[in-house]
Amino acid sequence: MYFDVAMPLTLFAVTVVSLFLNRKVERKLKSTFEEREFRIRDVILLVVSISVMVSLIVLIPQMFLMIMFLFSYSVLLFIFTYLFSDFGTMRAKTFVSLFLVAFFTVATFSLINFGVNAISAYGALTLYSLFGLTFLALLYEETRTHTGERWYLAVLPPTFFLCLYIFFRMTPLWFPYLLNLFGALFSILIVVYMSSLFTWKTFLFFTSVLTSVDVILVLVTGSMVSASQHVSSLRLPILMSMPTVPAILTRFGALYVSLGLGDFFFAGLIATQSQKRFGDRFAVLSIIVMSISFFLFEAFMLNYEWRALPGTVMIVAGWIPLILWKKSVSRRR
């Protein structure tokens, strides 16, 4: 019997981090959005947009997709960093110092391990240049007196991400390590960014409609599978790919299991909304049962050689019995 614990544990870990990070930053995000919340029609437009995008993505040139996703990820990183860049001087110095170390380490590592070729040389030169500019930001922080957000701190994460992708996406450094790292990061940020916009009513509507659409796109039209294959060659962090644990060997080597960021967002949204409605314990319990449900569905796929199943179904199938049990207990009281 084949089974895998790597992806269910990854789903559990990313969702837990999303849950507790959301609790810390939700108040500030709500004030940023001026307490705005999705209405039913907004949810319908969101799901329709997702469906159309997935259905048509195979017709979009890969270069355009690359630019679109890189721009979206960069904006997301910039916005989050900028919103929370009004911290104290010591934290700002620590933040800048981390990127100083990152720029220098990756540049040196690339020259040592990937040899002196055009791509690694340009990448190292770019990163060393960014190291110098970041050092200037550190010096400026010494003399800065006013408080508020810092744009020069907000540009560091997206710049680092773009450099890593442009110069190192075809190296072993990117896949699977950095790809999964950025995949987890973007999953968490999307959950935190979007969860404050949902009420319990719109969340339930979104969950049911998105699950239905996912079933159609995966099992009926196959658009989701085609879209994933079309974009996967770009090595963009739109999904996370993990080798199975224990390892499953095929004629092509070790088997990898992939899960899209949309599914991580789906699980994170369920967890955050459960926390708002029923508290931390129920939210953590929800994450546990969703991870177990995913584990069982994944084992079914591995043993019966199913190519793909809707990730939303694999996740929500564990949560539905739990929420029904919670409702029944509440009624008895």
Side-chain angles (χ1 to χ4, degrees):
M1 177 180 176
Y2 296 118
F3 65 92
D4 168 50
V5 298
M7 188 57 77
L9 288 177
T10 302
L11 177 66
F12 175 83
V14 171
T15 310
V16 167
V17 173
S18 302
L19 173 67
F20 289 102
L21 182 61
N22 177 72
R23 188 173 61 177
K24 290 182 176 296
V25 304
E26 183 182 22
R27 184 174 299 176
K28 181 158 188 172
L29 287 176
K30 271 189 169 293
S31 63
T32 302
F33 293 137
E34 299 177 348
E35 303 291 335
R36 293 177 182 173
E37 294 176 335
F38 279 147
R39 291 168 292 183
I40 294 297
R41 68 179 184 183
D42 299 320
V43 172
I44 294 174
L45 287 174
L46 178 61
V47 175
V48 169
S49 300
I50 294 172
S51 305
V52 172
M53 181 66 181
V54 170
S55 300
L56 298 181
I57 200 170
V58 294
L59 304 177
I60 302 175
Q62 288 187 324
M63 182 58 67
F64 180 81
L65 287 174
M66 180 189 297
I67 295 172
M68 181 182 68
F69 277 108
L70 290 178
F71 176 78
S72 301
Y73 290 150
S74 299
V75 170
L76 183 64
L77 286 171
F78 179 87
I79 290 175
F80 263 91
T81 310
Y82 184 77
L83 288 176
F84 298 97
S85 63
D86 56 347
F87 36 61
T89 302
M90 286 304 299
R91 288 188 177 182
K93 290 180 180 178
T94 303
F95 183 82
V96 174
S97 299
L98 289 174
F99 278 93
L100 280 173
V101 174
F103 285 136
F104 185 84
T105 302
V106 174
T108 306
F109 179 84
S110 66
L111 289 178
I112 294 174
N113 289 275
F114 303 141
V116 181
N117 55 61
I119 295 179
S120 63
Y122 282 126
L125 179 62
T126 302
L127 289 169
Y128 282 133
S129 300
L130 290 171
F131 173 85
L133 294 174
T134 306
F135 185 74
L136 293 178
L138 182 62
L139 295 178
Y140 174 72
E141 196 63 38
E142 291 282 354
T143 60
R144 187 176 187 268
T145 56
H146 60 281
T147 59
E149 290 83 2
R150 303 163 170 87
W151 65 267
Y152 55 89
L153 297 187
V155 300
L156 293 178
T159 302
F160 187 51
F161 164 69
L162 288 174
C163 286
L164 289 176
Y165 179 80
I166 292 171
F167 296 111
F168 304 111
R169 71 177 182 274
M170 301 308 295
T171 68
L173 179 66
W174 181 260
F175 181 82
Y177 306 108
L178 291 178
L179 177 69
N180 287 331
L181 177 64
F182 280 113
L185 174 62
F186 289 130
S187 298
I188 294 168
L189 293 183
I190 293 169
V191 171
V192 173
Y193 186 80
M194 296 288 290
S195 62
S196 63
L197 299 174
F198 285 88
T199 63
W200 181 253
K201 178 182 177 181
T202 55
F203 155 71
L204 291 177
F205 182 77
F206 175 76
T207 302
S208 58
V209 174
L210 184 64
T211 302
S212 303
V213 169
D214 195 26
V215 170
I216 295 172
L217 293 176
V218 174
L219 298 181
V220 180
T221 66
S223 299
M224 188 70 75
V225 178
S226 300
S228 177
Q229 292 174 341
H230 183 64
V231 180
S232 60
S233 61
L234 297 176
R235 293 198 166 194
L236 288 163
I238 61 170
L239 49 78
M240 295 179 65
S241 295
M242 308 288 293
T244 58
V245 177
I248 299 175
L249 299 179
T250 69
R251 58 177 179 169
F252 302 107
L255 179 65
Y256 278 71
V257 175
S258 299
L259 186 64
L261 298 198
D263 297 313
F264 283 98
F265 162 69
F266 186 75
L269 183 63
I270 291 176
T272 54
Q273 294 299 317
S274 298
Q275 187 270 332
K276 293 177 188 178
R277 189 75 173 184
F278 302 110
D280 290 341
R281 289 186 178 181
F282 184 82
V284 173
L285 184 59
S286 297
I287 298 173
I288 293 173
V289 296
M290 287 189 294
S291 301
I292 293 174
S293 174
F294 183 87
F295 169 82
L296 295 175
F297 274 99
E298 186 188 26
F300 173 82
M301 290 176 59
L302 293 173
N303 286 278
Y304 292 94
E305 298 182 356
W306 274 68
R307 186 181 179 188
L309 284 175
T312 52
V313 174
M314 298 168 70
I315 292 168
V316 79
W319 183 73
I320 290 176
L322 183 64
I323 194 66
L324 292 177
W325 169 79
K326 183 68 175 179
K327 290 289 187 180
S328 65
V329 171
S330 300
R331 288 174 183 173
R332 290 174 187 174
R333 292 178 180 176

